[in-house]
Amino acid sequence: MLIVPEVFFTLYFQNMQQLLLYPFFLAMCLLCMSMLKKRVSTPATGAVASFTTLVFAMLSSFLNNQDITLCYGTVWILSILFCYLTTTLPTTLIMGSLLCGYLGLAAYIKVHHVISFAAPGYSIENLYGATPVITALYILFIIRVLGRHYNHIMIMEQRLNLQKQRQHAALIRQNLTKQFILVKGLSRSGKTKYLEGNLELLEACLTEIEKQCETAIDLLQQHAHPIAELEDNKKAPH
């Protein structure tokens, strides 16, 4: 959708070289959406999207008299950022190296006045008229991308914390169940000893039951907060 206003600017200023690149870029966008629909891995799709964005801006820059102003710099930064968020660090470094290589080539062409492509490039009216609008659109897009990225990080952190709390609560329940089973066995044994008239063993059973109850109470008091927090997370809307 960011391409739409750029197409209008290109048509208005009649930059035919730039206009020829848009079908290629739009085709790559459709390809990436098709990859997502077919459940291709996120790093693969992100690599294709960031690479095509980077190459598209390079071709556009080259065809417009090796222009490396803010209009293209914003797109290059966006492509590198998107590559870093969706792929691995080595892939991002490769993308960055490719960009640095092109900037070096553009600098060499400009410094040595090499005639590489005879194109008029953007006019002054086109450059200073389109750059503020295009840059504003890309800034909004960067904010959106970063917002969604950190939102996903927060969601993943909440899920991991909830999973840890559930495991912790399950361990507490398991320990309490063992202790209550032990108390139940001791109470039955104490009942038997009482009927048999063996008061010494009955007293020992009652003492052990008291110890087990104190241990269970201490366990509940120590871990009452994680259990309460887990119950609150279950009740909270997602």
Side-chain angles (χ1 to χ4, degrees):
M1 294 183 66
L2 291 174
I3 292 298
V4 175
E6 293 190 31
V7 172
F8 285 114
F9 277 113
T10 305
L11 289 173
Y12 179 78
F13 291 105
Q14 298 181 358
N15 191 330
M16 294 299 105
Q17 293 85 4
Q18 177 76 5
L19 192 61
L20 292 175
L21 295 175
Y22 288 122
F24 162 76
F25 187 68
L26 293 176
M28 292 299 102
C29 290
L30 294 175
L31 174 63
C32 291
M33 287 189 288
S34 176
M35 293 173 66
L36 290 176
K37 187 176 181 180
K38 294 180 179 178
R39 299 187 181 278
V40 179
S41 64
T42 301
T45 307
V48 173
S50 57
F51 178 76
T52 52
T53 304
L54 190 70
V55 172
F56 169 77
M58 287 180 182
L59 290 174
S60 177
S61 170
F62 186 82
L63 293 176
N64 286 284
N65 199 18
Q66 296 82 49
D67 184 12
I68 55 173
T69 56
L70 181 63
C71 184
Y72 292 104
T74 306
V75 183
W76 288 328
I77 292 174
L78 178 61
S79 62
I80 296 297
L81 174 64
F82 186 75
C83 182
Y84 181 72
L85 294 179
T86 57
T87 64
T88 60
L89 181 59
T91 305
T92 307
L93 292 177
I94 293 174
M95 292 283 193
S97 300
L98 180 62
L99 175 60
C100 292
Y102 171 73
L103 294 176
L105 176 63
Y108 179 84
I109 291 174
K110 289 294 185 180
V111 170
H112 294 85
H113 305 286
V114 178
I115 300 176
S116 58
F117 186 78
Y122 282 119
S123 64
I124 297 298
E125 294 81 5
N126 190 347
L127 180 62
Y128 289 97
T131 298
V133 177
I134 295 174
T135 303
L137 291 173
Y138 278 115
I139 288 174
L140 293 176
F141 187 71
I142 290 174
I143 293 174
R144 175 64 174 173
V145 169
L146 288 176
R148 294 298 298 174
H149 176 66
Y150 286 109
N151 186 33
H152 290 161
I153 291 178
M154 292 176 62
I155 291 174
M156 291 300 298
E157 288 293 333
Q158 290 176 355
R159 289 179 179 176
L160 289 175
N161 290 334
L162 183 59
Q163 184 178 3
K164 291 179 181 179
Q165 290 171 6
R166 285 175 176 172
Q167 293 175 352
H168 192 64
L171 182 61
I172 293 174
R173 291 191 182 98
Q174 183 179 2
N175 292 333
L176 288 175
T177 302
K178 291 180 180 179
Q179 287 190 307
F180 285 132
I181 291 174
L182 181 59
V183 169
K184 183 178 180 181
L186 289 172
S187 64
R188 288 182 178 179
S189 179
K191 182 179 179 181
T192 303
K193 301 303 179 183
Y194 174 75
L195 294 176
E196 293 177 353
N198 194 339
L199 299 179
E200 293 182 358
L201 291 178
L202 174 61
E203 184 180 358
C205 289
L206 293 175
T207 303
E208 187 63 27
I209 289 174
E210 184 179 0
K211 289 181 180 179
Q212 294 298 326
C213 290
E214 290 178 354
T215 304
I217 292 172
D218 292 339
L219 185 63
L220 286 173
Q221 289 178 346
Q222 291 175 3
H223 304 285
H225 179 69
I227 295 177
E229 187 176 352
L230 177 60
E231 294 298 330
D232 293 337
N233 290 332
K234 288 182 179 179
K235 296 178 182 179
H238 295 285

